[in-house]
Amino acid sequence: AFTTVELPSIDETMETGKIQEWKVNVGDKVEVGQDLCLVDTEIAEFFLDAPSEGIIAKKYAEEGEEIETGSVVTIIAPSDTNISDAIQAYEMEVGLVSAEIVGKGKMEDWSKEEVTAWLNEQDFDEAILEKLAHFTGKNLVRLSKEDAEKYFDLEGIRLYSAIEDTNEETDEDK
């Protein structure tokens, strides 16, 4: 789990902002409302604040860098989360890293994040992603053809076939 912090648009004409100064570093613990960085725009200077508490996991913009509104500036991981897992989950979600690169071999060994990334790569719809959000690779491998059809109708048949194909590929890699 993680929280993304995006550059907001403070008015409808604002398209970009420049990170003037970071007030926090990667690894710092932050509280809700704490200043993260000073942003300069054509309209005004303002502080971007933390929408949640946690730890700064990664910065996606450097001081002096101009970025578009809506761009992710940083991600905040919950205090009880492994920072690298939060970064990996975010980057898989947005397609910066694919499950194939991150995949640790056999499908049955995949984490929940790797399963979610794989489901996204296979273009399954939101309903399936939500229902399988808690699945690990071990859960996927154990999904029977009957259950896949029962719970997901026609998409379940495609899901079961994709699981079988991918599981065979990852077994061959080992």
Side-chain angles (χ1 to χ4, degrees), residues 31-174:
E31 300 297 324
V32 174
Q34 183 176 339
D35 291 343
L36 300 177
C37 60
L38 178 63
V39 177
D40 184 32
T41 71
E42 291 178 6
I43 301 158
E45 273 190 352
F46 63 93
F47 283 101
L48 191 55
D49 60 0
S52 65
E53 66 177 37
I55 297 170
I56 299 297
K58 187 170 182 177
K59 295 177 185 176
Y60 288 91
E62 298 300 321
E63 283 186 4
E65 185 176 349
E66 189 150 335
I67 58 173
E68 293 180 9
T69 56
S71 297
V72 173
V73 177
T74 187
I75 58 173
I76 300 173
S79 299
D80 61 350
T81 304
N82 178 316
I83 290 177
S84 62
D85 288 348
I87 294 168
Q88 184 179 20
Y90 166 71
E91 291 184 349
M92 284 194 302
E93 185 176 289
V94 297
L96 294 173
V97 177
S98 80
E100 287 177 25
I101 295 168
V102 177
K104 297 179 181 79
K106 292 186 174 197
M107 182 182 248
E108 67 187 37
D109 298 331
W110 287 2
S111 67
K112 292 175 189 175
E113 292 80 12
E114 289 167 323
V115 168
T116 300
W118 177 79
L119 291 167
N120 277 319
E121 285 180 355
Q122 302 295 318
D123 287 328
F124 284 107
D125 65 23
E126 235 9 81
I128 288 182
L129 290 170
E130 284 177 27
K131 287 180 182 175
L132 298 180
H134 65 285
F135 269 45
T136 62
K138 194 173 282 185
N139 301 128
L140 265 189
V141 175
R142 292 180 178 163
L143 184 68
S144 71
K145 187 174 187 176
E146 293 75 28
D147 283 346
E149 281 184 66
K150 180 176 163 184
Y151 296 115
F152 306 111
D153 300 319
L154 289 174
E155 275 290 88
I157 297 167
R158 188 168 80 87
L159 172 65
Y160 183 78
S161 295
I163 291 169
E164 274 197 325
D165 293 347
T166 303
N167 195 27
E168 285 173 17
E169 288 171 19
T170 61
D171 272 348
E172 288 168 11
D173 292 344
K174 286 286 157 196

Side-chain angles (χ1 to χ4, degrees), residues 15-31:
E15 294 179 7
T16 62
K18 184 184 275 189
I19 305 299
Q20 286 295 93
E21 178 185 3
W22 277 101
K23 298 293 185 184
V24 294
N25 295 304
V26 170
D28 285 357
K29 191 171 176 90
V30 295
E31 300 297 324

